[in-house]
Amino acid sequence: MRIAIIGTGNVGGAVARGLKSKGHYLVLGARDPAGSRVSALAAATGASTALPADAARGADIVVLALPWDAAEAAVAALGDLTGKVVVDCMNPIGRSAGGIGLKVGHSTSGGEIVQGWLPGAHVVKTLNQVGAEIMADTSLLAHAPVMFMAGNDVGAKALVGQMLADLGFDALDAGDITKARLLEPFGMVWINQALMRGKGRMWAFAAVPA
Ligand SMILES: NC(=O)c1ccc[n+]([C@@H]2O[C@H](COP(=O)([O-])OP(=O)(O)OC[C@H]3O[C@@H](n4cnc5c(N)ncnc54)[C@H](OP(=O)(O)O)[C@@H]3O)[C@@H](O)[C@H]2O)c1
């Protein structure tokens, strides 16, 4: 598959590392595609580099690995994504007096908002439920970690499920895009354990069979 990764920070870099040598054509979409950090990531993963809109054009899957607050403008700048499969890894997190938390929930979700920005695309919410280190190398864990997907298009989830399997995840369908309302607070459970309760970052949820 041709996979465009928009945003080359912790998550974008980890997804590129995790998909290295898995038979995909990877394109890193970055504001400074010739910069030393992006070039080093490209050299390490075999990816090519491009400006975000150029990376998205022609991709089978467009992975959005952007800060939530920058996402709407950055997504608008990608151009027409009609018919494309778009993976939303983003947790709509903001800071408040009580610490960090979700900015939306209960009656909508980040996934639904992204689908609203891209009505012609097939948005799949996933890869928001563990830290980036796990996405780069799931083999460090004792079990295959579970990764839920929420999206309206069955074919899009099948394609994204293949990508998740290539990353070493046990991909499970959570239902339509409204189920992002479940997956985003679920991502916060990982964040709470990892960052606030001292569990650290090298663990994930697993769906363990009987
Ligand atoms: N970190 C985690 O472990 C983790 C796990 C699960 C989900 N998430 C979610 O994944 C998303 C990304 O997190 P992250 O930790 O990877 O963030 P990050 O390290 O800060 O990386 C964000 C990337 O987005 C790019 N970017 C920012 N504004 C942009 C714009 N207007 N146009 C194009 N690119 C832009 C940045 O580019 P520059 O390098 O040019 O600034 C950077 O490459 C967040 O929504 C987060 O909630 C994070």
Side-chain angles (χ1 to χ4, degrees):
M1 287 187 275
R2 188 180 174 100
I3 300 175
I5 301 172
I6 310 301
T8 56
N10 298 311
V11 169
V15 171
R17 288 188 176 84
L19 291 174
K20 178 189 173 186
S21 308
K22 298 286 165 56
H24 301 294
Y25 182 80
L26 304 176
V27 191
L28 305 173
R31 294 181 287 190
D32 181 13
S36 58
R37 192 182 51 75
V38 178
S39 297
L41 178 63
T45 58
S48 61
T49 62
L51 288 167
D54 294 334
R57 197 174 304 121
D60 301 304
I61 297 181
V62 178
V63 178
L64 302 177
L66 299 160
W68 179 249
D69 288 340
E72 183 170 9
V75 167
L78 292 178
D80 185 10
L81 300 186
T82 298
K84 289 197 186 302
V85 175
V86 173
V87 169
D88 169 22
C89 310
M90 301 178 289
N91 281 314
I93 287 173
R95 289 197 177 277
S96 66
I100 64 167
L102 292 173
K103 294 171 90 168
V104 296
H106 298 293
S107 58
T108 189
S109 60
E112 288 161 273
I113 292 169
V114 174
Q115 182 66 79
W117 296 337
L118 298 169
H122 306 301
V123 175
V124 179
K125 181 93 210 182
T126 192
L127 286 176
N128 69 308
Q129 301 147 47
V130 293
E133 298 86 342
I134 308 295
M135 303 176 201
D137 190 358
T138 49
S139 73
L140 299 169
L141 302 176
H143 295 276
V146 71
M147 183 57 67
F148 294 102
M149 305 178 278
N152 294 336
D153 189 88
V154 171
K157 285 186 283 193
L159 208 62
V160 173
Q162 284 175 30
M163 187 186 83
L164 294 175
D166 287 341
L167 288 168
F169 287 104
D170 174 16
L172 286 186
D173 187 353
D176 67 19
I177 193 66
T178 68
K179 302 307 178 289
R181 298 177 200 181
L182 305 180
L183 303 190
E184 290 164 9
F186 186 55
M188 292 303 295
V189 176
W190 188 91
I191 291 170
N192 179 55
Q193 285 292 320
L195 306 186
M196 289 81 177
R197 301 198 61 80
K199 190 167 173 60
R201 300 181 62 92
M202 289 311 297
W203 69 281
F205 303 104
V208 182

